[in-house]
Coordinates of all heavy atoms in Angstrom, one line a residue:
M1441 N 112.8 32.0 136.8 CA 112.3 31.8 135.4 C 111.3 32.9 135.1 O 111.3 33.5 134.0 CB 111.7 30.4 135.3 CG 111.2 30.1 133.9 SD 112.6 30.0 132.8 CE 111.8 29.4 131.4
K1442 N 110.4 33.2 136.1 CA 109.4 34.2 135.9 C 110.0 35.5 135.7 O 109.5 36.3 134.8 CB 108.4 34.1 137.1 CG 107.1 34.8 136.9 CD 106.3 34.6 138.1 CE 104.8 34.9 137.9 NZ 104.0 34.8 139.1
E1443 N 111.0 35.8 136.4 CA 111.7 37.1 136.3 C 112.4 37.3 135.0 O 112.4 38.3 134.4 CB 112.7 37.3 137.5 CG 113.4 38.6 137.5 CD 112.4 39.7 137.9 OE1 111.4 39.5 138.6 OE2 112.6 40.8 137.4
K1444 N 113.0 36.2 134.5 CA 113.6 36.2 133.2 C 112.7 36.5 132.0 O 113.0 37.3 131.1 CB 114.3 34.8 133.0 CG 115.3 34.8 131.9 CD 116.0 33.5 131.9 CE 117.2 33.5 130.9 NZ 117.9 32.2 130.9
I1445 N 111.5 35.9 132.1 CA 110.5 36.1 131.1 C 110.0 37.6 131.2 O 109.8 38.3 130.1 CB 109.3 35.2 131.3 CG1 109.7 33.7 131.0 CG2 108.1 35.5 130.4 CD1 108.7 32.7 131.3
K1446 N 109.8 38.1 132.4 CA 109.4 39.5 132.6 C 110.4 40.4 132.0 O 110.0 41.4 131.3 CB 109.2 39.7 134.1 CG 108.6 41.1 134.4 CD 108.4 41.2 135.9 CE 108.0 42.6 136.2 NZ 107.8 42.8 137.7
R1447 N 111.7 40.2 132.2 CA 112.7 41.1 131.7 C 112.7 41.0 130.2 O 113.0 42.0 129.5 CB 114.1 40.7 132.2 CG 114.4 41.2 133.6 CD 115.9 41.1 134.0 NE 116.5 39.9 133.5 CZ 116.8 38.9 134.4 NH1 116.5 38.9 135.6 NH2 117.4 37.8 133.9
F1448 N 112.5 39.8 129.6 CA 112.5 39.7 128.1 C 111.3 40.5 127.5 O 111.5 41.3 126.6 CB 112.3 38.2 127.7 CG 112.0 38.1 126.3 CD1 113.1 38.1 125.4 CD2 110.7 37.8 125.8 CE1 112.8 38.0 124.0 CE2 110.5 37.7 124.5 CZ 111.5 37.7 123.5
F1449 N 110.1 40.5 128.1 CA 109.0 41.2 127.6 C 109.2 42.7 127.8 O 108.8 43.5 126.9 CB 107.7 40.8 128.2 CG 107.2 39.5 127.6 CD1 107.1 38.3 128.3 CD2 106.7 39.5 126.3 CE1 106.6 37.2 127.7 CE2 106.2 38.4 125.7 CZ 106.2 37.2 126.4
I1450 N 109.8 43.1 128.9 CA 110.1 44.6 129.1 C 111.0 45.1 128.0 O 110.9 46.1 127.4 CB 110.6 44.8 130.5 CG1 109.4 44.6 131.5 CG2 111.2 46.2 130.6 CD1 109.9 44.7 132.9
A1451 N 112.1 44.3 127.8 CA 113.1 44.7 126.7 C 112.5 44.7 125.3 O 112.7 45.6 124.5 CB 114.3 43.7 126.8
A1452 N 111.6 43.7 125.1 CA 110.9 43.7 123.7 C 110.0 44.9 123.6 O 110.0 45.5 122.5 CB 110.1 42.4 123.6
F1453 N 109.3 45.3 124.6 CA 108.4 46.5 124.5 C 109.2 47.7 124.4 O 108.8 48.6 123.6 CB 107.4 46.5 125.7 CG 106.3 45.6 125.6 CD1 106.0 44.7 126.6 CD2 105.4 45.7 124.5 CE1 104.9 43.8 126.5 CE2 104.3 44.8 124.4 CZ 104.1 43.9 125.4
Q1454 N 110.3 47.8 125.1 CA 111.2 49.0 125.0 C 111.7 49.1 123.5 O 111.8 50.2 123.0 CB 112.3 48.9 126.0 CG 111.9 49.2 127.4 CD 113.1 49.1 128.3 OE1 114.1 48.5 128.0 NE2 112.9 49.7 129.5
F1455 N 112.1 48.0 122.9 CA 112.6 48.0 121.6 C 111.5 48.4 120.6 O 111.7 49.2 119.7 CB 113.1 46.6 121.2 CG 113.7 46.5 119.8 CD1 114.8 47.2 119.5 CD2 113.0 45.8 118.9 CE1 115.3 47.1 118.2 CE2 113.5 45.8 117.6 CZ 114.6 46.4 117.2
L1456 N 110.3 47.8 120.7 CA 109.2 48.0 119.7 C 108.6 49.4 119.9 O 108.1 50.0 118.9 CB 108.2 46.9 119.9 CG 108.6 45.5 119.5 CD1 107.5 44.5 119.8 CD2 109.0 45.5 118.0
L1457 N 108.6 50.0 121.1 CA 107.9 51.3 121.3 C 108.9 52.4 121.3 O 108.5 53.5 121.6 CB 107.1 51.2 122.6 CG 106.0 50.2 122.6 CD1 105.3 50.3 124.0 CD2 105.0 50.5 121.5
N1458 N 110.1 52.1 120.9 CA 111.2 53.2 120.7 C 110.8 54.1 119.5 O 110.5 53.5 118.5 CB 112.5 52.5 120.5 CG 113.7 53.4 120.4 OD1 113.5 54.6 120.2 ND2 114.8 52.8 120.7
P1459 N 110.9 55.4 119.7 CA 110.5 56.3 118.6 C 111.4 56.0 117.4 O 110.9 56.2 116.2 CB 110.7 57.7 119.1 CG 110.6 57.5 120.6 CD 111.1 56.1 120.9
R1460 N 112.7 55.7 117.6 CA 113.6 55.5 116.4 C 113.2 54.2 115.7 O 113.2 54.2 114.4 CB 115.0 55.3 116.9 CG 115.6 56.6 117.5 CD 117.0 56.4 118.0 NE 117.4 57.6 118.7 CZ 117.4 57.7 120.0 NH1 117.0 56.7 120.8 NH2 117.8 58.8 120.6
F1461 N 112.8 53.2 116.4 CA 112.3 52.0 115.7 C 111.0 52.2 115.0 O 110.8 51.7 113.9 CB 112.2 50.8 116.7 CG 111.7 49.6 116.1 CD1 112.6 48.8 115.3 CD2 110.4 49.2 116.2 CE1 112.1 47.6 114.7 CE2 109.9 48.0 115.6 CZ 110.8 47.3 114.8
L1462 N 110.1 52.9 115.6 CA 108.8 53.2 115.0 C 109.0 54.0 113.7 O 108.3 53.7 112.7 CB 107.9 54.0 115.9 CG 107.4 53.2 117.1 CD1 106.6 54.1 118.1 CD2 106.6 52.0 116.7
L1463 N 110.0 54.9 113.7 CA 110.3 55.7 112.4 C 110.8 54.7 111.4 O 110.3 54.7 110.2 CB 111.3 56.8 112.7 CG 111.9 57.5 111.5 CD1 110.8 58.4 110.9 CD2 113.1 58.3 111.8
C1464 N 111.7 53.9 111.7 CA 112.3 52.9 110.8 C 111.3 51.9 110.3 O 111.3 51.5 109.2 CB 113.5 52.2 111.4 SG 114.9 53.3 111.7
F1465 N 110.4 51.5 111.2 CA 109.3 50.5 110.9 C 108.4 51.2 109.9 O 107.9 50.6 108.9 CB 108.6 50.0 112.1 CG 107.6 49.0 111.8 CD1 108.0 47.7 111.6 CD2 106.2 49.3 111.7 CE1 107.0 46.7 111.3 CE2 105.3 48.3 111.4 CZ 105.7 47.0 111.2
G1466 N 108.1 52.5 110.1 CA 107.2 53.2 109.2 C 107.8 53.3 107.8 O 107.1 53.1 106.8
I1467 N 109.1 53.6 107.7 CA 109.8 53.6 106.4 C 109.8 52.2 105.8 O 109.5 52.1 104.6 CB 111.2 54.2 106.6 CG1 111.2 55.6 107.0 CG2 112.0 54.0 105.3 CD1 112.5 56.2 107.5
G1468 N 110.1 51.2 106.6 CA 110.0 49.8 106.0 C 108.6 49.5 105.5 O 108.5 48.8 104.5
W1469 N 107.6 49.9 106.2 CA 106.2 49.6 105.8 C 105.9 50.3 104.5 O 105.3 49.7 103.6 CB 105.3 50.1 106.9 CG 103.8 49.7 106.5 CD1 103.2 48.5 106.7 CD2 102.9 50.6 106.0 NE1 101.9 48.6 106.2 CE2 101.7 49.9 105.8 CE3 102.9 52.0 105.6 CZ2 100.5 50.5 105.3 CZ3 101.8 52.5 105.0 CH2 100.6 51.8 104.9
I1470 N 106.4 51.5 104.3 CA 106.1 52.2 103.0 C 106.9 51.5 101.9 O 106.3 51.4 100.8 CB 106.6 53.7 103.1 CG1 105.7 54.5 104.1 CG2 106.7 54.3 101.8 CD1 104.3 54.7 103.5
I1471 N 108.1 51.0 102.2 CA 108.8 50.3 101.2 C 108.1 49.0 100.8 O 108.0 48.6 99.6 CB 110.3 50.0 101.6 CG1 111.0 51.3 101.7 CG2 111.0 49.0 100.7 CD1 112.4 51.2 102.4
T1472 N 107.6 48.2 101.8 CA 107.1 46.9 101.5 C 105.7 46.9 101.0 O 105.3 46.2 100.0 CB 107.2 46.0 102.7 OG1 106.5 46.6 103.8 CG2 108.6 45.6 103.0
N1473 N 104.8 47.7 101.6 CA 103.4 47.7 101.1 C 102.7 49.0 101.2 O 101.6 49.2 100.6 CB 102.6 46.6 101.9 CG 102.5 46.9 103.3 OD1 103.0 47.9 103.8 ND2 101.8 46.1 104.0
G1474 N 103.2 50.0 101.8 CA 102.5 51.3 101.9 C 102.3 52.0 100.5 O 101.3 52.6 100.3
W1475 N 103.3 51.7 99.7 CA 103.2 52.3 98.3 C 102.0 51.8 97.6 O 101.3 52.6 96.8 CB 104.4 52.0 97.5 CG 104.6 50.6 97.2 CD1 105.3 49.6 97.9 CD2 104.0 49.8 96.1 NE1 105.2 48.4 97.4 CE2 104.4 48.5 96.2 CE3 103.2 50.2 95.0 CZ2 104.1 47.5 95.3 CZ3 102.9 49.2 94.1 CH2 103.3 47.9 94.3
S1476 N 101.6 50.6 97.8 CA 100.4 50.0 97.1 C 99.1 50.7 97.6 O 98.2 50.9 96.8 CB 100.3 48.5 97.3 OG 100.3 48.1 98.6
Y1477 N 99.0 50.9 98.9 CA 97.8 51.6 99.4 C 97.8 53.1 98.9 O 96.7 53.6 98.5 CB 97.8 51.7 100.9 CG 97.6 50.3 101.6 CD1 98.6 49.6 102.2 CD2 96.3 49.8 101.6 CE1 98.3 48.4 102.8 CE2 96.0 48.6 102.2 CZ 97.1 47.9 102.8 OH 96.8 46.7 103.3
I1478 N 98.9 53.7 98.8 CA 99.0 55.1 98.3 C 98.6 55.1 96.8 O 97.8 55.9 96.3 CB 100.3 55.7 98.5 CG1 100.6 55.9 100.0 CG2 100.5 57.0 97.8 CD1 102.0 56.2 100.4
M1479 N 99.2 54.1 96.0 CA 98.9 54.0 94.6 C 97.4 53.7 94.4 O 96.8 54.3 93.5 CB 99.7 52.9 94.0 CG 99.5 52.8 92.5 SD 100.4 51.5 91.7 CE 102.0 52.3 91.4
L1480 N 96.8 52.8 95.2 CA 95.4 52.5 95.1 C 94.5 53.8 95.3 O 93.6 54.0 94.6 CB 95.0 51.4 96.0 CG 93.5 50.9 95.9 CD1 93.2 50.4 94.6 CD2 93.3 49.9 97.0
G1481 N 94.9 54.5 96.3 CA 94.1 55.8 96.6 C 94.2 56.8 95.5 O 93.2 57.3 95.0
F1482 N 95.4 57.0 95.0 CA 95.6 57.9 93.8 C 94.9 57.4 92.6 O 94.3 58.1 91.8 CB 97.1 58.2 93.5 CG 97.7 59.2 94.4 CD1 98.7 58.9 95.2 CD2 97.2 60.5 94.4 CE1 99.3 59.9 96.0 CE2 97.7 61.5 95.2 CZ 98.8 61.2 96.0
G1483 N 95.0 56.0 92.3 CA 94.3 55.4 91.2 C 92.8 55.6 91.2 O 92.2 55.9 90.2
I1484 N 92.2 55.4 92.4 CA 90.8 55.6 92.5 C 90.4 57.1 92.4 O 89.5 57.5 91.7 CB 90.3 55.1 93.8 CG1 90.4 53.5 93.8 CG2 88.9 55.5 94.1 CD1 90.1 52.9 95.2
F1485 N 91.2 58.0 93.0 CA 90.9 59.4 92.9 C 91.1 60.0 91.5 O 90.3 60.7 91.1 CB 91.8 60.2 93.9 CG 91.6 61.6 94.0 CD1 90.5 62.2 94.6 CD2 92.5 62.5 93.4 CE1 90.3 63.5 94.6 CE2 92.3 63.9 93.4 CZ 91.2 64.4 94.0
L1486 N 92.2 59.6 90.8 CA 92.4 60.1 89.5 C 91.8 59.2 88.4 O 91.9 59.6 87.2 CB 93.9 60.2 89.3 CG 94.7 61.1 90.2 CD1 96.2 61.0 90.0 CD2 94.2 62.5 90.1
E1487 N 91.2 58.1 88.8 CA 90.6 57.2 87.8 C 91.6 56.7 86.8 O 91.3 56.7 85.6 CB 89.4 57.9 87.1 CG 88.3 58.2 88.1 CD 87.1 58.9 87.5 OE1 87.1 59.1 86.2 OE2 86.2 59.3 88.2
V1488 N 92.7 56.2 87.3 CA 93.8 55.6 86.4 C 93.7 54.1 86.6 O 94.1 53.6 87.7 CB 95.2 56.2 86.8 CG1 96.2 55.6 85.9 CG2 95.2 57.7 86.7
Q1489 N 93.3 53.4 85.6 CA 93.0 52.0 85.7 C 94.2 51.1 86.0 O 94.2 50.2 86.7 CB 92.2 51.5 84.5 CG 90.8 52.0 84.3 CD 90.0 51.7 85.5 OE1 90.0 50.6 86.0 NE2 89.3 52.7 86.1
W1490 N 95.3 51.5 85.3 CA 96.5 50.6 85.5 C 97.0 50.8 87.0 O 97.6 49.8 87.5 CB 97.6 51.0 84.5 CG 98.3 52.3 84.7 CD1 98.0 53.5 84.2 CD2 99.4 52.5 85.6 NE1 98.8 54.5 84.6 CE2 99.7 53.9 85.5 CE3 100.2 51.8 86.4 CZ2 100.8 54.5 86.2 CZ3 101.2 52.4 87.1 CH2 101.5 53.7 87.0
M1491 N 96.9 51.9 87.6 CA 97.3 52.1 89.0 C 96.4 51.2 89.9 O 96.9 50.6 90.8 CB 97.2 53.6 89.4 CG 98.3 54.4 88.8 SD 98.1 56.2 89.2 CE 98.9 56.2 90.8
I1492 N 95.2 51.3 89.6 CA 94.2 50.5 90.4 C 94.5 49.0 90.3 O 94.6 48.2 91.2 CB 92.8 50.8 90.0 CG1 92.4 52.2 90.3 CG2 91.8 49.8 90.7 CD1 91.1 52.7 89.8
A1493 N 94.8 48.5 89.0 CA 95.1 47.1 88.8 C 96.4 46.7 89.4 O 96.4 45.6 90.1 CB 95.2 46.9 87.3
V1494 N 97.4 47.5 89.3 CA 98.7 47.1 89.9 C 98.6 47.0 91.5 O 99.1 46.1 92.1 CB 99.9 48.0 89.5 CG1 101.1 47.8 90.3 CG2 100.1 47.9 88.0
A1495 N 98.0 48.1 92.0 CA 97.9 48.1 93.5 C 97.0 47.0 94.0 O 97.3 46.4 95.0 CB 97.4 49.5 93.9
T1496 N 95.9 46.8 93.4 CA 95.0 45.7 93.8 C 95.6 44.3 93.7 O 95.5 43.5 94.6 CB 93.7 45.8 93.0 OG1 93.1 47.1 93.1 CG2 92.7 44.7 93.5
A1497 N 96.4 44.1 92.6 CA 97.1 42.8 92.5 C 98.1 42.6 93.6 O 98.2 41.5 94.2 CB 97.7 42.7 91.1
Y1498 N 98.9 43.6 93.9 CA 99.9 43.5 94.9 C 99.2 43.3 96.3 O 99.7 42.5 97.1 CB 100.8 44.7 94.9 CG 101.9 44.6 96.0 CD1 103.0 43.8 95.7 CD2 101.8 45.2 97.2 CE1 104.0 43.7 96.6 CE2 102.8 45.1 98.2 CZ 103.9 44.3 97.8 OH 104.9 44.2 98.8
L1499 N 98.2 44.0 96.5 CA 97.5 43.9 97.8 C 96.8 42.5 98.0 O 96.8 42.0 99.1 CB 96.4 45.0 98.0 CG 97.0 46.4 98.3 CD1 95.9 47.4 98.2 CD2 97.7 46.4 99.6
A1500 N 96.4 42.0 96.9 CA 95.8 40.6 96.9 C 96.8 39.6 97.3 O 96.6 38.7 98.1 CB 95.2 40.3 95.6
I1501 N 98.0 39.7 96.7 CA 99.1 38.8 97.1 C 99.6 39.1 98.5 O 99.9 38.2 99.3 CB 100.3 39.0 96.1 CG1 99.9 38.6 94.7 CG2 101.6 38.3 96.6 CD1 100.9 39.0 93.6
L1502 N 99.6 40.3 98.9 CA 100.0 40.7 100.3 C 99.1 40.1 101.3 O 99.6 39.7 102.4 CB 100.0 42.3 100.4 CG 100.5 42.9 101.6 CD1 102.0 42.7 101.8 CD2 100.1 44.3 101.7
W1503 N 97.9 40.0 101.1 CA 96.9 39.5 102.1 C 96.8 38.0 102.1 O 96.0 37.5 102.9 CB 95.6 40.2 101.9 CG 95.6 41.6 102.5 CD1 95.9 42.7 101.8 CD2 95.2 42.0 103.8 NE1 95.8 43.8 102.7 CE2 95.4 43.4 103.9 CE3 94.8 41.3 104.9 CZ2 95.2 44.0 105.1 CZ3 94.6 42.0 106.1 CH2 94.8 43.3 106.2
L1504 N 97.6 37.3 101.3 CA 97.6 35.9 101.4 C 98.2 35.4 102.7 O 99.1 36.1 103.2 CB 98.4 35.3 100.2 CG 97.8 35.4 98.8 CD1 98.8 34.9 97.8 CD2 96.5 34.5 98.7
P1505 N 97.7 34.3 103.3 CA 98.3 33.8 104.5 C 99.8 33.5 104.5 O 100.4 33.5 105.5 CB 97.5 32.6 104.8 CG 96.2 32.7 104.0 CD 96.6 33.5 102.8
I1506 N 100.3 33.2 103.3 CA 101.7 32.8 103.2 C 102.6 34.0 102.9 O 103.8 33.8 102.7 CB 101.9 31.7 102.1 CG1 101.4 32.3 100.8 CG2 101.2 30.5 102.5 CD1 101.8 31.4 99.6
S1507 N 102.1 35.2 102.9 CA 102.9 36.4 102.6 C 103.9 36.7 103.8 O 103.5 36.8 104.9 CB 102.0 37.6 102.4 OG 102.8 38.7 102.2
P1508 N 105.2 36.8 103.5 CA 106.2 37.1 104.5 C 106.4 38.6 104.7 O 107.5 39.0 105.1 CB 107.4 36.4 104.0 CG 107.3 36.6 102.5 CD 105.8 36.4 102.2
E1509 N 105.4 39.4 104.5 CA 105.5 40.8 104.5 C 106.0 41.4 105.8 O 106.9 42.2 105.9 CB 104.2 41.4 104.1 CG 104.2 42.9 104.1 CD 103.6 43.5 105.4 OE1 102.8 42.8 106.0 OE2 104.1 44.6 105.8
K1510 N 105.5 40.9 106.9 CA 105.9 41.5 108.2 C 107.3 41.1 108.6 O 108.0 41.9 109.1 CB 104.9 41.0 109.3 CG 103.6 41.6 109.3 CD 103.7 43.1 109.6 CE 102.4 43.8 109.6 NZ 102.3 44.8 108.7
I1511 N 107.7 39.9 108.2 CA 109.1 39.5 108.5 C 110.1 40.4 107.7 O 111.1 40.9 108.2 CB 109.3 38.0 108.1 CG1 108.5 37.1 109.0 CG2 110.8 37.6 108.2 CD1 108.4 35.7 108.5
I1512 N 109.7 40.7 106.4 CA 110.6 41.5 105.6 C 110.5 43.0 106.1 O 111.6 43.6 106.2 CB 110.1 41.5 104.1 CG1 110.3 40.1 103.6 CG2 110.8 42.5 103.3 CD1 109.7 39.8 102.3
T1513 N 109.4 43.5 106.6 CA 109.3 44.8 107.1 C 110.1 45.0 108.4 O 110.8 46.0 108.5 CB 107.8 45.2 107.4 OG1 107.0 45.0 106.2 CG2 107.7 46.6 107.9
F1514 N 110.1 44.0 109.3 CA 110.9 44.0 110.5 C 112.4 44.0 110.1 O 113.2 44.7 110.7 CB 110.6 42.9 111.4 CG 109.5 43.3 112.4 CD1 108.2 42.9 112.2 CD2 109.8 44.0 113.6 CE1 107.2 43.3 113.1 CE2 108.8 44.3 114.5 CZ 107.5 44.0 114.2
G1515 N 112.8 43.2 109.1 CA 114.1 43.1 108.7 C 114.6 44.5 108.2 O 115.7 44.9 108.5
I1516 N 113.8 45.1 107.3 CA 114.2 46.4 106.8 C 114.3 47.4 107.9 O 115.2 48.3 107.9 CB 113.1 46.8 105.7 CG1 113.3 46.0 104.5 CG2 113.3 48.3 105.4 CD1 112.2 46.2 103.5
A1517 N 113.3 47.4 108.9 CA 113.3 48.3 110.0 C 114.6 48.2 110.8 O 115.2 49.2 111.2 CB 112.1 48.1 110.9
I1518 N 115.0 47.0 111.1 CA 116.2 46.8 111.9 C 117.4 47.2 111.2 O 118.3 47.8 111.7 CB 116.3 45.3 112.4 CG1 115.2 45.0 113.4 CG2 117.7 45.0 113.0 CD1 115.0 43.6 113.8
A1519 N 117.5 46.9 109.8 CA 118.6 47.3 109.0 C 118.7 48.9 108.9 O 119.8 49.4 109.0 CB 118.5 46.7 107.6
L1520 N 117.6 49.5 108.8 CA 117.5 51.0 108.7 C 118.0 51.6 110.1 O 118.7 52.6 110.1 CB 116.1 51.5 108.4 CG 115.7 51.4 106.9 CD1 114.3 51.8 106.8 CD2 116.6 52.3 106.1
M1521 N 117.5 50.9 111.2 CA 117.9 51.4 112.5 C 119.4 51.3 112.7 O 120.0 52.3 113.2 CB 117.2 50.6 113.6 CG 116.9 51.4 114.8 SD 115.7 50.5 115.8 CE 116.6 50.5 117.2
K1522 N 120.0 50.3 112.2 CA 121.5 50.1 112.3 C 122.2 51.1 111.4 O 123.3 51.6 111.8 CB 121.9 48.7 112.0 CG 121.5 47.7 113.1 CD 122.0 46.3 112.7 CE 121.6 45.3 113.8 NZ 122.1 44.0 113.5
L1523 N 121.6 51.4 110.3 CA 122.2 52.3 109.3 C 122.1 53.8 109.8 O 123.0 54.5 109.7 CB 121.6 52.1 108.0 CG 122.1 53.0 106.8 CD1 123.5 52.5 106.5 CD2 121.2 52.8 105.6
L1524 N 120.9 54.2 110.2 CA 120.6 55.5 110.5 C 121.0 56.0 111.9 O 121.4 57.1 112.2 CB 119.1 55.8 110.4 CG 118.5 55.7 109.0 CD1 117.0 55.9 109.0 CD2 119.2 56.6 108.0
F1525 N 121.0 55.0 112.9 CA 121.3 55.4 114.3 C 122.5 54.5 114.8 O 122.4 53.9 115.8 CB 120.1 55.1 115.1 CG 118.9 55.9 114.7 CD1 117.8 55.2 114.1 CD2 118.8 57.3 114.9 CE1 116.7 56.0 113.7 CE2 117.7 58.0 114.5 CZ 116.6 57.3 113.9
K1526 N 123.6 54.7 114.1 CA 124.8 53.9 114.4 C 125.4 54.3 115.8 O 125.9 53.4 116.5 CB 125.9 54.2 113.4 CG 125.7 53.6 112.1 CD 126.8 54.0 111.1 CE 126.4 53.7 109.7 NZ 127.4 54.2 108.7
K1527 N 125.2 55.5 116.2 CA 125.8 56.0 117.4 C 124.9 55.8 118.6 O 125.4 56.1 119.8 CB 126.2 57.5 117.3 CG 127.2 57.7 116.2 CD 127.6 59.1 116.1 CE 128.6 59.3 115.0 NZ 129.0 60.6 114.8
K1528 N 123.7 55.3 118.5 CA 122.8 55.1 119.6 C 123.0 53.7 120.1 O 122.1 52.8 119.8 CB 121.4 55.4 119.2 CG 121.1 56.8 118.6 CD 121.3 57.8 119.7 CE 121.0 59.2 119.2 NZ 121.1 60.2 120.2
K1529 N 124.0 53.4 120.8 CA 124.3 52.0 121.2 C 123.3 51.5 122.2 O 123.0 50.3 122.2 CB 125.7 52.0 121.9 CG 126.9 52.3 120.9 CD 127.0 51.3 119.8 CE 128.1 51.7 118.9 NZ 128.1 51.0 117.7
K1530 N 122.7 52.4 123.0 CA 121.7 51.9 124.0 C 120.5 51.4 123.2 O 119.9 50.3 123.6 CB 121.3 53.0 124.9 CG 120.3 52.6 126.0 CD 119.9 53.8 126.9 CE 118.9 53.3 127.9 NZ 118.4 54.4 128.7
T1531 N 120.1 52.1 122.2 CA 118.9 51.7 121.4 C 119.2 50.3 120.7 O 118.4 49.4 120.7 CB 118.5 52.7 120.4 OG1 118.2 53.9 121.0 CG2 117.3 52.3 119.6
L1532 N 120.4 50.2 120.1 CA 120.7 49.0 119.4 C 121.0 47.8 120.3 O 120.8 46.7 120.0 CB 121.9 49.3 118.5 CG 121.7 50.2 117.3 CD1 123.0 50.5 116.6 CD2 120.6 49.8 116.4
G1533 N 121.4 48.2 121.5 CA 121.7 47.1 122.5 C 120.5 46.4 123.0 O 120.6 45.3 123.5
I1534 N 119.3 47.1 123.0 CA 118.1 46.4 123.5 C 117.7 45.3 122.6 O 117.4 44.3 123.0 CB 117.0 47.5 123.7 CG1 117.3 48.5 124.7 CG2 115.7 46.8 124.0 CD1 116.3 49.6 124.8

């Protein structure tokens, strides 16, 4: 049993620390909430009130405890990985 758990954690770390997965997770993060941080930065820098308001409202919703943002981000990352790296069977097999 102990060996089975150890193999599971090793496979999970190999999957999560894979450069291809990290790239897809970064893209998924930009899609789900990265845009709001970028918009907030530009809104503050350029002093555009509607950008600040939209980004702040989205971030307020995002930081609620019931926000499923990470689940959606992981789903997008796995879908992107399957779409972009179809021929990498070893990566998808983990």
Side-chain angles (χ1 to χ4, degrees):
M1441 183 69 173
K1442 198 175 192 182
E1443 187 65 32
K1444 196 174 188 181
I1445 293 171
K1446 184 179 176 182
R1447 281 196 317 258
F1448 171 77
F1449 278 111
I1450 289 172
F1453 281 123
Q1454 285 177 342
F1455 179 73
L1456 293 174
L1457 298 178
N1458 182 340
R1460 292 179 189 97
F1461 178 76
L1462 291 175
L1463 172 70
C1464 292
F1465 185 79
I1467 294 169
W1469 182 81
I1470 291 291
I1471 291 170
T1472 55
N1473 64 359
W1475 65 268
S1476 59
Y1477 289 106
I1478 295 168
M1479 182 184 275
L1480 182 63
F1482 277 119
I1484 291 170
F1485 180 73
L1486 299 173
E1487 297 177 2
V1488 180
Q1489 292 303 314
W1490 72 267
M1491 290 174 81
I1492 296 171
V1494 169
T1496 305
Y1498 184 79
L1499 288 172
I1501 293 169
L1502 181 72
W1503 281 89
L1504 288 174
I1506 60 172
S1507 175
E1509 177 265 329
K1510 287 294 180 237
I1511 298 168
I1512 295 169
T1513 304
F1514 270 98
I1516 291 172
I1518 291 171
L1520 282 173
M1521 210 164 125
K1522 288 182 179 180
L1523 182 70
L1524 297 176
F1525 302 109
K1526 292 177 190 173
K1527 297 181 182 179
K1528 303 291 183 183
K1529 297 297 180 190
K1530 183 179 177 187
T1531 302
L1532 294 175
I1534 293 175

